[in-house]
Amino acid sequence: LPASKLIEVQRVIAEAKKARDAGATRYCMGAAWRSPKARDMAQLEAMIEGVKALGMETCMTLGMLEQDQVLRLRDAGLDYYNHNIDTSERYYPEVITTRSFADRLETLARVREAGINVCSGGILGMGEERGDRIDMLLSLATLPEHPQSVPINMLIPMADTPLADTPPLDPIEFVRTIAVAKIMGDGRRKLTRVFSELLSHYLFDTRFGRVGKGNDKGKVEGLVGYIRRNHLVPIPSFESF
């Protein structure tokens, strides 16, 4: 694709205003870069400030970021940064060569540590296996902090590209992946009023199963079985003989 210049700030703000007037509350701005150049940062900051002035949340996707770039975007008021991991670490080199899987995680760490909300997901239908889709979700679920937004995208094959002839993904498989991502959630659980009262009265400690830690469920079931056998089942009594 031929390179194009960054859109003028006032044009971006005008488009954001149209989106706001149509009901949007967050506006995402993107550039197909490997990473931003120093000469672009002031223009990007002006875009963020202009969209924020409209009362909207801001989101950007610009490729990899260095630490100073992350801090400049944060200080300009950036709310979300989108940086997808795209697929599993195993399959990643088959579809992307401009940066490594570790590069992706490094940028996500910088964004997260700066206090910017992380938006990170992937693209399905690039020829990956089901196991790759599972591994992609596990990579996101086992980050130090879960992404605040997890977009799951479907590849649209384009002519004259390496993935142009990739067989389409079964739509049900796409829905299944979204369902798994939804179930994995963000690791948080809600306490009901009744359960909170039990915690207070009986001095319970909460312990929830962790994503990717299937053995947690077995431990819980084992403890429940022990309590049932030793404390809840009446001891049988019978006449001596």
Side-chain angles (χ1 to χ4, degrees):
L1 295 176
S4 58
K5 292 183 178 181
L6 205 58
I7 297 175
E8 299 83 1
V9 173
Q10 290 306 315
R11 182 180 166 191
V12 170
I13 295 173
E15 293 298 324
K17 186 176 185 300
K18 291 179 185 177
R20 184 200 63 183
D21 294 344
T25 58
R26 185 187 306 166
Y27 194 72
C28 191
M29 299 157 276
W33 293 331
R34 187 174 188 274
S35 58
K37 294 181 172 59
R39 65 173 181 264
D40 299 313
M41 291 303 299
Q43 194 170 348
L44 295 171
E45 291 168 322
M47 290 178 185
I48 294 170
E49 291 166 355
V51 174
K52 290 284 284 187
L54 297 175
M56 303 180 75
E57 289 185 325
T58 55
C59 174
M60 278 191 164
T61 177
L62 309 167
M64 295 185 297
L65 296 176
E66 296 298 330
Q67 184 65 23
D68 64 311
Q69 294 174 326
V70 172
L71 297 180
R72 288 185 64 174
L73 295 174
R74 180 199 65 187
D75 293 344
L78 185 65
D79 296 297
Y80 285 81
Y81 191 76
N82 172 253
H83 196 58
N84 291 336
I85 62 172
D86 292 328
T87 187
S88 70
E89 185 173 8
R90 181 199 74 83
Y91 194 66
Y92 190 90
E94 300 296 323
V95 290
I96 299 167
T97 57
T98 57
R99 69 207 80 181
S100 69
F101 193 82
D103 289 334
R104 298 271 187 180
L105 297 182
E106 188 173 326
T107 291
L108 290 178
R110 287 172 177 156
V111 170
R112 181 176 61 249
E113 291 164 5
I116 300 172
N117 291 308
V118 170
C119 175
S120 185
I123 305 173
L124 310 187
M126 298 190 293
E128 77 284 349
E129 299 174 358
R130 177 180 287 181
D132 294 307
R133 295 188 280 276
I134 294 171
D135 286 345
M136 178 191 74
L137 295 178
L138 282 174
S139 293
L140 294 171
T142 53
L143 290 173
E145 182 180 335
H146 288 256
Q148 281 71 40
S149 179
V150 181
I152 305 295
N153 307 287
M154 175 87 81
L155 176 72
I156 300 176
M158 303 297 291
D160 301 322
T161 65
L163 298 178
D165 299 321
T166 304
L169 184 69
D170 181 351
I172 298 301
E173 187 69 16
F174 181 71
V175 172
R176 284 187 179 128
T177 306
I178 294 174
V180 172
K182 185 70 174 177
I183 291 170
M184 293 173 82
D186 60 5
R188 296 192 294 264
R189 300 294 186 269
K190 293 182 179 179
L191 296 179
T192 64
R193 181 184 62 80
V194 173
F195 189 61
S196 296
E197 291 173 354
L198 287 173
L199 290 176
S200 175
H201 186 76
Y202 293 105
L203 303 180
F204 288 162
D205 285 329
T206 58
R207 181 175 296 177
F208 297 112
R210 297 165 291 173
V211 173
K213 299 289 184 180
N215 58 314
D216 279 4
K217 185 172 182 291
K219 290 178 181 177
V220 172
E221 290 179 345
L223 289 172
V224 170
Y226 176 85
I227 295 296
R228 184 177 61 249
R229 291 189 302 271
N230 292 276
H231 299 285
L232 302 180
V233 177
I235 299 174
S237 60
F238 46 84
E239 297 288 341
S240 297
F241 61 90

